[in-house]
Amino acid sequence: MTIEIKPLKKKIAILISGTGTNMEAIIKDSNTNNYSGIIKFVLSNNPDALGIIKAKTLGIKTFVFPVDKNNSLEIFEKRVLKLLKKEKIELLCLAGFMKILSKSFIQNYKGIILNIHPSILPSIKGLNTHKRVLEKDIKIHGATVHIVTPELDSGKILGQVTINILKNDTPKKLAKKLIKKEHQLYTKVIRNVIKGNNTIIQEN
Ligand code: GAR
């Protein structure tokens, strides 16, 4: 009898708060050939996140740990850390996760945390990036995948994609144009990270 030894796959978890289209792209990519990772679960702080239904449909285990008046962010983080440890998660991907993780969470988690942010960092950190970019006199917008560190939207940049801002663009139009590019960028960066490839992706 021959025993086939398959390469071990990096264990990945995804945190979401909403629609979960980046999450969906990551899960679909993980189902394709030559993927050196496995998505162990998707977790949301928001019980109404559409992404949770999508993840279930795609056959991924889901968790909802609400952050509300009975459950502080501190309680949420403790529950998440415990789960990450139990499931031996090596890579945590924030995909439209809209809470700011504490310094203590980031320092206590021993794996890598990635985030996708809808701007060309270090420009326009924080929220409402599509509206804010239109208020500036610049013609280019984009998204960044970076390593999460205690300082908001400031960790090492692993990939960026850009789009041109047209005269009649609105925040909604920009978000729509960018999201497909976000999916391509995030899946490529994750592939690099789980293979230990340090190349920084720059796309237009
Ligand atoms: C994406 O545009 C992502 O870049 C952004 O939220 C959206 C989530 O969409 N993330 C942030 O603003 C994080 N600060 P999705 O749920 O469809 O992936």
Side-chain angles (χ1 to χ4, degrees), residues 66-84:
V67 179
D68 53 29
K69 59 181 188 314
N70 300 315
N71 302 282
S72 63
L73 186 64
E74 200 182 334
I75 294 174
F76 170 87
E77 290 185 339
K78 274 193 183 140
R79 296 179 76 188
V80 177
L81 272 179
K82 202 169 155 192
L83 188 59
L84 292 173

Side-chain angles (χ1 to χ4, degrees), residues 178-190:
L178 191 60
I179 197 82
K180 290 183 201 127
K181 302 220 170 197
E182 287 191 29
H183 301 163
Q184 288 163 7
L185 176 71
Y186 210 178
T187 51
K188 281 184 191 168
V189 170
I190 292 171

Side-chain angles (χ1 to χ4, degrees), residues 19-22 96 98 116-118 179 182:
T19 325
T21 65
N22 275 289
M98 303 311 280
I116 184 150
H117 179 78
I179 197 82
E182 287 191 29

Side-chain angles (χ1 to χ4, degrees), residues 19-32:
T19 325
T21 65
N22 275 289
M23 170 216 78
E24 190 175 9
I26 298 165
I27 295 171
K28 287 188 173 159
D29 194 44
S30 79
N31 290 331
T32 60

